[in-house]
């Protein structure tokens, strides 16, 4: 649940409100650090430290506490993920060969792939999914696809982006559901792709397009397009979470 900072709040109250928002970043941090569970708590602690040092720069007129903390969290994650992992000089003797994968692991991976692909195909429609699959199998050579479907490059790019954004959202929602995360605003928000300004728009949802355009320094037309896209993806994330957690 997002935390509100009252107008005229004392510095201590403002700091406490911002620090409480750090806990809402857990689903996002967990999704970005998949496979690195030992890094989750250190990242959140680093976020708290940065919030503590920067809380005096928070201006409620420029955004919500959640947006302020989210920006800090995203930067901390970028720094963490940007560090090169240490490479061991010796290969462990018990490491599995890629040539002989574990049958159970392969089966689970196949099930997971079918699971998210089926959902994505359902959300984007059979035509777009088929087109996207053809594009993936063509190794990026789109000329034949354009000719075969009488499409322009722009139309094909639109389909590709729509399917890619939907796939990201579906997979993030499935990961959140598998982790047992509740259906809350922050969880749903962090299912959106961290690109294209979609999360920023989602945070500002409820204000008009002109205000969002001015806040994000984009054209009102672009703001309206992002709003529509963000609404679509938020609906998808909620639907997946609701379906999985109700199962």
């Amino acid at each position: 649940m997002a935390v509100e900072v009252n107008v005229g709040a004392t510095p201590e109250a403002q700091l406490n409100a911002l620090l409480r928002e750090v806990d809402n970043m857990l689903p996002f941090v967990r999704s970005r650090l998949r496979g690195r569970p030992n890094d989750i708590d250190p990242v959140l602690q680093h976020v708290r430290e940065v919030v503590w040092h920067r809380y005096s720069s928070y201006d409620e007129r420029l955004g919500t506490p959640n947006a302020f903390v989210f920006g800090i969290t995203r930067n901390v994650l970028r720094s963490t993920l940007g560090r090169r992992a240490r490479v061991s000089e010796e290969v462990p003797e018990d490491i599995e060969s890629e040539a002989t994968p574990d049958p159970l692991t392969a089966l689970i991976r196949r099930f997971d792939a079918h699971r998210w692909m089926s959902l994505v195909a359902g959300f984007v429609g059979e035509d777009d999914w088929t087109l996207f699959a053809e594009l993936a199998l063509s190794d990026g050579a789109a000329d034949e696809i354009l000719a075969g479907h009488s499409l322009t490059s722009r139309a094909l790019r639109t389909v590709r982006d729509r399917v890619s954004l939907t796939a990201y959202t579906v997979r993030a929602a499935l990961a959140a559901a598998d982790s047992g995360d509740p259906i809350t605003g922050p969880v749903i928000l962090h299912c959106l792709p961290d690109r294209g300004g979609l999360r920023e728009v989602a945070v500002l949802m409820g204000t008009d397009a002109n205000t969002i355009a001015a806040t994000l320094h984009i054209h009102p037309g672009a703001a309206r397009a992002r709003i529509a896209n963000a609404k679509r993806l938020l609906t998808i994330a909620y639907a997946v979470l609701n379906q999985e957690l109700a199962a």
Side-chain angles (χ1 to χ4, degrees):
M1 179 180 294
V3 178
E4 294 184 358
V5 176
N6 295 327
V7 177
T10 64
E12 182 179 359
Q14 179 173 283
L15 173 60
N16 289 335
L18 292 171
L19 288 175
R20 285 196 295 272
E21 282 290 352
V22 177
D23 294 333
N24 291 330
M25 299 297 118
L26 176 58
F28 173 54
V29 173
R30 183 184 292 153
S31 68
R32 296 302 302 272
L33 294 178
R34 194 175 305 162
R36 300 172 60 174
N38 293 334
D39 290 339
I40 294 176
D41 285 340
V43 164
L44 289 174
Q45 184 57 34
H46 189 183
V47 172
R48 291 187 183 95
E49 292 173 1
V50 176
V51 169
W52 187 83
H53 285 291
R54 293 186 52 196
Y55 80 94
S56 60
S57 66
Y58 170 68
D59 187 343
E60 60 188 9
R61 295 171 299 179
L62 301 179
T64 64
N66 182 273
F68 180 80
V69 175
F70 173 70
I72 291 175
T73 305
R74 182 171 56 184
N75 290 335
V76 170
L77 279 170
R78 283 176 177 169
S79 176
T80 301
L81 294 172
R83 299 192 196 112
R84 290 186 176 182
R86 294 181 180 177
V87 179
S88 174
E89 294 181 359
E90 298 181 0
V91 178
E93 295 180 357
D94 59 348
I95 191 169
E96 293 186 17
S97 169
E98 288 292 334
T100 57
D102 176 65
L104 179 58
T105 300
L107 185 62
I108 292 173
R109 287 177 179 172
R110 182 174 297 180
F111 169 78
D112 287 341
H114 180 268
R115 182 187 181 200
W116 71 260
M117 286 182 181
S118 298
L119 287 169
V120 172
F123 284 122
V124 301
E126 183 178 351
D127 291 343
D128 282 2
W129 178 253
T130 300
L131 194 61
F132 183 81
E134 289 182 20
L135 183 62
L137 293 173
S138 71
D139 196 24
D143 292 342
E144 293 184 4
I145 296 176
L146 292 174
H149 293 272
S150 301
L151 291 173
T152 63
S153 297
R154 181 176 181 179
L156 182 60
R157 187 165 56 250
T158 298
V159 171
R160 182 195 63 194
D161 290 345
R162 180 164 56 246
V163 176
S164 296
L165 294 173
T166 303
Y168 182 102
T169 301
V170 166
R171 298 185 72 178
L174 288 173
D178 289 343
S179 298
D181 295 334
I183 303 178
T184 61
V187 171
I188 295 174
L189 174 66
H190 296 317
C191 290
L192 269 60
D194 185 18
R195 62 186 177 94
L198 292 170
R199 290 182 182 173
E200 288 80 356
V201 166
V203 169
L204 297 171
M205 204 79 77
T207 56
D208 62 274
N210 290 331
T211 301
I212 292 177
T215 302
L216 300 180
H217 306 291
I218 58 177
H219 189 275
R224 284 189 287 272
R226 289 189 191 181
I227 291 171
N229 215 357
K231 285 183 177 179
R232 182 179 69 86
L233 296 176
L234 287 170
T235 301
I236 289 173
Y238 175 79
V240 173
L241 284 166
N242 191 51
Q243 171 183 306
E244 293 297 314
L245 294 177

